[in-house]
Amino acid sequence: MNFSEVFKLSSLLCKFSPDGKYLASCVQYRLVVRDVNTLQILQLYTCLDQIQHIEWSADSLFILCAMYKRGLVQVWSLEQPEWHCKIDEGSAGLVASCWSPDGRHILNTTEFHLRITVWSLCTKSVSYIKYPKACLQGITFTRDGRYMALAERRDCKDYVSIFVCSDWQLLRHFDTDTQDLTGIEWAPNGCVLAVWDSCLEYKILLYSLDGRLLSAYSAYEWSLGIKCVAWSPSSQFLAVGSYDGKVRILNHVTWKMITEFGHPATINNPKIVVYKEAEKSPQLGLGCLSFPPPGAGAGPLPSSESKYEIASVPVSLQTLKPVTDRANPKIGIGMLAFSPDSYFLATRNDNIPNAVWVWDIQKLRLFAVLEQLSPVRTFQWDPQQPRLAICTGGSRLYLWSPAGCMSVQVPGEGDFAVLSLCWHLSGDSMALLSKDHVCLCFLETEASVSTACRQLGGHT
């Protein structure tokens, strides 16, 4: 495993282009575009203010930079560096900006969610969509880019509108049986739209493309409900994470629950592999123990080593006692992700924050548990194979595959605190993001990584 040099970064804004050729990163008001293979700077763009959001067009020819404080969006072209576009929402303000799937229209959401403005880069025409709802996930596009679903709120009721992206004509408009709609998401095959209610009511609704209600599911009442939702890439399963610490799997045939995965604090099953991260300080000889002269600063201590050990059952996982009298308590399933082949599901229970749970979807059972020394910040699957990357905000990267797992120290001066990560579409590399820097991690071939993972006690 190799690492690139470290580059400056602001606000964790760093993204690979969809075609995998470029890496865009932001430093204050500057946008830097690098070649992924050589890491040489290809283009350097200067925006009018500090960049708060970036997004590539689907064809990787344009990149959008949003400056919400100024109500501005600037668009840059990689093919024609001298061409640029500036969109000023003026007094209406700006709270969100995104590309349409064709990469030639930009959707801007104004302050207070009064409307969505659709700007065309080709014809310079402008369209308006009224009543967008202010919720966590209110816009979703089908994978083929043909349709957009939009959550709306009007007359104190929730609605969903489905638009044709080619001409932004309204295809369907229907009300939803929700008290306070929180999110919508298309299945990867674009045939079913999932709509779920706020955490105050456990309800998830499934609609067809023409607006017919296919099914409604509720696991319980009178308690905090749904916290996160994820479709499997095959569209066969819908995973629903709840505040009760369970994941319920719905099937695509009857839309009934086929199983539920609990997240107990104690693992008793001897068939489940539990990996515990262990940290060992390097051994120091007596000759190394010397006192610095008066007034001298302390020198850097040798970094400790980290590795995984297989724990013997029963294993008690470190739990967090939630503060239940405050908003957004740290309980329940806060993160869900299917592997690209839909064989595995990774989850995190927020009141057991140091653990990542990996479930076997084929056999509908728990496959492995990884307990870290620090709370898990995020995890992400390799786009090409069932390989999971995990970061905890420390200077290490963690990788899991069915063959085993490994801990990797990120090199560099001082501690490179990995706060987030993103995979390259090839699965051969990933970008590791810290507060002020980014570096690329280049992975070895699948065979060599599997060999390293089998050496369970080893570390890099």
Side-chain angles (χ1 to χ4, degrees), residues 48-229:
L48 296 173
D49 204 341
Q50 182 165 344
I51 304 168
Q52 294 174 272
H53 171 71
I54 61 171
E55 188 175 327
W56 286 95
S57 62
D59 55 10
S60 303
L61 295 179
F62 298 93
I63 188 164
L64 169 159
C65 299
M67 290 142 278
Y68 297 137
K69 293 179 181 177
R70 299 257 312 247
L72 283 176
V73 171
Q74 288 185 267
V75 185
W76 307 97
S77 167
L78 262 69
E79 283 190 331
Q80 299 174 294
E82 67 280 358
W83 179 94
H84 72 279
C85 166
K86 185 180 80 168
I87 300 172
D88 190 344
E89 291 290 348
S91 59
L94 182 67
V95 295
S97 183
C98 69
W99 285 103
S100 67
D102 67 357
R104 297 299 179 269
H105 294 81
I106 291 173
L107 284 72
N108 285 345
T109 305
T110 61
E111 282 188 339
F112 309 110
H113 285 74
L114 297 178
R115 71 183 185 213
I116 291 178
T117 311
V118 182
W119 301 85
S120 171
L121 298 186
C122 299
T123 65
K124 298 184 181 180
S125 62
V126 182
S127 305
Y128 299 101
I129 303 174
K130 293 183 178 181
Y131 312 114
K133 180 164 187 182
C135 57
L136 291 176
Q137 195 169 329
I139 298 179
T140 178
F141 297 95
T142 54
R143 291 280 177 93
D144 60 11
R146 296 177 64 188
Y147 304 107
M148 178 188 81
L150 175 69
E152 299 180 356
R153 183 78 174 181
R154 59 176 82 176
D155 300 326
C156 300
K157 288 190 66 178
D158 292 327
Y159 296 85
V160 168
S161 290
I162 298 177
F163 295 87
V164 180
C165 292
S166 58
D167 55 9
W168 303 105
Q169 293 298 308
L170 181 65
L171 179 68
R172 287 289 184 273
H173 175 74
F174 53 90
D175 61 276
T176 61
D177 185 21
T178 51
Q179 296 295 322
D180 185 12
L181 186 155
T182 294
I184 58 176
E185 186 172 354
W186 287 106
N189 61 13
C191 295
V192 179
L193 178 70
V195 177
W196 59 95
D197 217 326
S198 75
C199 64
L200 297 180
E201 183 168 350
Y202 195 119
K203 183 182 289 185
I204 187 161
L205 308 166
L206 297 149
Y207 291 92
S208 64
L209 186 59
D210 59 3
R212 288 180 296 113
L213 178 62
L214 301 175
S215 183
Y217 176 76
S218 177
Y220 52 80
E221 293 181 315
W222 315 117
S223 186
L224 290 177
I226 296 172
K227 192 167 188 179
C228 59
V229 173

Side-chain angles (χ1 to χ4, degrees), residues 310-322:
I310 295 181
S312 301
V313 294
V315 179
S316 295
L317 303 174
Q318 184 177 347
T319 59
L320 181 71
K321 187 176 181 180

Side-chain angles (χ1 to χ4, degrees), residues 374-391:
S374 303
V376 174
R377 286 188 62 93
T378 189
F379 52 71
Q380 196 175 106
W381 288 99
D382 181 333
Q384 300 298 327
Q385 58 178 299
R387 180 169 54 181
L388 186 69
I390 305 166
C391 69

Side-chain angles (χ1 to χ4, degrees), residues 202 204 226 228-230 238-242 246-250 336:
Y202 195 119
I204 187 161
I226 296 172
C228 59
V229 173
L238 179 63
V240 184
S242 313
K246 294 181 180 179
V247 176
R248 293 166 176 87
I249 306 295
L250 309 184
L336 283 173

Side-chain angles (χ1 to χ4, degrees), residues 1 385 387 399 401 403-404 406 443-455:
M1 188 175 295
Q385 58 178 299
R387 180 169 54 181
L399 294 171
S401 78
M406 60 192 299
L443 283 80
E444 300 161 14
T445 61
E446 181 180 353
S448 60
V449 170
S450 296
T451 301
C453 287
R454 290 192 187 99
Q455 300 170 358

